[in-house]
Amino acid sequence: MSVTSVLNQPASPEERRRMIRRRVLTAVVIVLLIGIPAGYLVISAQQSRASGRDKEAESSVTGLRDSWPSKMKRRVFEVPIPAGSTEVAYFETSNWKTSRLYVEFTTSGTGLDDFLNDVGTSRAALDAADVTIGERDARTVGWTFPAGRDWSATTHRQKDPRPTRDITVDLTDPAAPRVYVVSTATP
């Protein structure tokens, strides 16, 4: 038998199955090496785009946002809002020089004591008939501190990079004090 006659013979069914199995295995390997990472990249891109839209929407907000700031923001700016607080709103500003978190909430008398204790101060540090939040900060979020209310306030300063907090409390209703905080951090 010559070499050409051996090459011209049809492949045996065993060899054909082997060839099909090899091609299927090659296709599976290609899908695993290319398809899965490509799918992962598409999913990652969509998640990144959605995250960017969320951050853009949050940064384009002007004025207070009626919700709790994230735990991370509360931790970074050291604003421990007491559990059970109501009417919570916040706003964040940031530039290359300073970042500020504006927070307001209503709490109970005990909640106010807990908040002041967690901040590192107490009711004794509150100056009666005082407002420590400046006009510029108040204007930023639309706060007003009219006469005829029972205002008390303090400023809690810390060494950089820890934030300084201006705290003003409306004690007109001692059972439900309204707390206003401007926490300023400088990197």
Side-chain angles (χ1 to χ4, degrees), residues 12-86:
S12 70
E14 176 90 14
E15 290 174 8
R16 180 154 174 76
R17 270 185 276 174
R18 191 174 191 169
M19 177 190 66
I20 292 171
R21 190 178 312 138
R22 191 176 64 241
R23 287 184 180 172
V24 167
L25 184 61
T26 301
V28 168
V29 168
I30 289 172
V31 166
L32 290 175
L33 290 176
I34 297 172
I36 291 177
Y40 174 77
L41 286 174
V42 168
I43 291 168
S44 263
Q46 293 293 32
Q47 288 174 343
S48 178
R49 181 177 292 160
S51 173
R53 285 187 193 128
D54 293 344
K55 287 179 182 166
E56 180 183 0
E58 183 174 341
S59 67
S60 69
V61 170
T62 55
L64 292 166
R65 181 180 201 160
D66 290 331
S67 66
W68 286 61
S70 68
K71 286 182 181 179
M72 183 195 71
K73 285 181 186 175
R74 286 181 272 157
R75 189 172 52 246
V76 167
F77 287 97
E78 297 182 19
V79 180
I81 302 170
S85 294
T86 60

Side-chain angles (χ1 to χ4, degrees), residues 77 93-100 136 160-161 184-187:
F77 287 97
T93 63
S94 188
N95 61 38
W96 65 275
K97 199 171 164 185
T98 57
S99 295
R100 285 184 178 87
R136 180 190 159 277
D160 286 342
T184 305
T186 54

Side-chain angles (χ1 to χ4, degrees), residues 69-82 92 99-103 105 114-121 155-167 179-186:
S70 68
K71 286 182 181 179
M72 183 195 71
K73 285 181 186 175
R74 286 181 272 157
R75 189 172 52 246
V76 167
F77 287 97
E78 297 182 19
V79 180
I81 302 170
E92 181 183 9
S99 295
R100 285 184 178 87
L101 181 67
Y102 301 80
V103 180
F105 58 90
D114 291 344
F115 168 74
L116 292 171
N117 184 50
D118 290 347
V119 164
T121 189
T155 296
H156 188 257
R157 299 187 194 285
Q158 303 181 100
K159 284 184 143 184
D160 286 342
R162 294 187 67 193
T164 294
R165 283 141 318 163
D166 291 314
I167 302 166
V179 180
Y180 301 85
V181 182
V182 177
S183 180
T184 305
T186 54

